[in-house]
Amino acid sequence: MKTIKTLCVALLAAVALPTAAEEAPNITDEAAASTDTIDYGPTMGWSSWNTFALNINESTIKGQADAMVSKKLKDAGYNHINIDDGYFGGRDKTTGQLKIHPTRFPKGLKGIVDYIHSKGLKAGIYSDGGYNTCGSYHGGDTTGEGVGLYKHDQQDCDMFFKDLGFDFIKVDFCGGDPVHNKDRLDLDEKQRYTAIAQAIKNTGRKDVRMNICRWAYPGTWADDAGFSWRTTQDIQPTWASIKDILAQNLYMSAYCSKGHYNDMDMLEVGVSWGTPLTTEETKTHFGMWCIMNSPLLIGCNMKDLSTTNLTLLKNKDLIALNQDTLYQQAYLAQKTSNGCYIMVKDIEKRYGNKRAFAIYNPNDASKTVTLNFKDIDLADSVKLHDCFTKKNLTEKYLDTYKVSVPAHGTKIYVAEAQTRLERTRYEAETGYSKAYSEIQGNVCQYSEAAFCSGGYKAGYIGGSNKDNYLEWSNVYSQEGGDYQLTIGYICGETRTINVYVNSKKVKALSCNSGGWEKVGTQKLDIKLEPGENTIRLVNTSGWLPDMDYIDVVSKKVIARVDGIGTDSAIRQSAATYDLSGRKTSNAKGVVISNGKKYIKH
Ligand code: GAL
């Protein structure tokens, strides 16, 4: 379970705060001018917080809009200029009208939004779900008291989106979380963010994106309210922070979909305070944010970007993975024996022959990784494109690819193979639970477990809550038919797993693996339909065991393996089958033996 975030208090303390609040200039009645069409990729742009904190003003914001254009970041896809905390100037005591900071933004915000729009960019704003902002509590910015959306949802949303014409809002939650506000106000996240989403809708604007900033995965209800949600505490410009955020997002692929993104927080690329990241760490940070489909909000002063960092931020190959129209977050396919993570996702076409994958090395020493292409469901003559160098590798690979990954480094490739195999391993950390939330107890949790495949397990499933299941809705079978399901679980006592395939109960399994750090397995036969199938594990009258993985293998493959004794015999006789058991005229058939898969050349 994640802990509540900490603010960069040192940074806030360093910021000079004004003492007096004055009337903001009049807000005009002009209708929102935005004519932008809706797109659905993760939000790209810039946000003021990571570098400027509360120390923002009109020239800072306009200057960054200028830099986004002149540095050609706009051409690379970055299109939001987001004002974070620090612009508030109290509320009018009679009308409740929100006021803008008198010295930081003496002319108000309308001119700034218009300026941003005039550059062909979108404008973002910030607020809080409670009364008080984070800056008011942690940064002593008294102008941030009483300015949050609470009790002003419609009034403020009308001002932001109808009067001023903002296109994006980040809604923080210090004001609703008693640990972070003087009033100790304790508000319900689901109720608040849902009400704010409704107030945004009421403005008539359909293109406004809301970022939910509750510093942990709030719950699947967020799909109906936000475009993205912060999953962790505040990012810092340190390797420890990047590594920690990655560790908490490697298991979140099931909670990403079109227009619904896990926000790993604003980028620290080019940020010069803190313990700046090394070149390899910076590449890992940006590359993984891309393949994991996080929003990409630049957090540095764009005017000061070095050529190396600018080139990285504009890397078209990486951005294409982030904005791919399958809208998928790479999922955890494997943790290697030397502690690296293989993350993979389809691009361009579901279950096609083209996939993007990352080999992420969080270790403090470089590691040599030998990737078996079968572990990312590819076979036969694989072509690789390196997304960092933007070059095709000249060689074509058959079974494996061996590469050295520097300490804290990442390699990211697009692979195109002759054969796409059916996935057989579905890690628990790629499963979905409707009840999943990191701000609520007694519901599904994913946690690191070194003894589990993938390095994670899922626990607290079931518990008499029908929504607290674990499910994979993407169990793909080309032709349908008979499959063997193997369930890898952890259970120090006897518990029941009810197995459902495509909403039909198949079996109740009684499970006890003989220890809470020991993985046990049970097998059962299931039938799959051609296309996508859903496998759900549930217990509505008690807890499920903790889950490590499920394996789903075609019976045709198993029949071949069971029937023949030696590898060479299999290799000879399996020439006309692929790994999924399908007949193939390809003489380079794929065979399986003792749980290992081979390609016959
Ligand atoms: C935090 C938030 C940061 C930043 C800050 C402003 O709660 O996570 O990203 O917006 O508030 O005070």
Side-chain angles (χ1 to χ4, degrees), residues 5 7 12 49-50 54 84-85 126 133-135 170 172-174 213 215 230 232-234 265-266:
K5 63 105 211 216
L7 278 172
L12 279 164
W49 183 254
N50 282 3
L54 298 172
D84 205 286
D85 203 352
Y126 167 95
T133 63
C134 293
K170 165 176 169 180
D172 224 330
F173 211 66
C174 287
C213 185
W215 329 293
R230 275 277 296 283
T232 51
Q233 306 170 16
D234 284 14
D265 209 352
M266 301 162 294

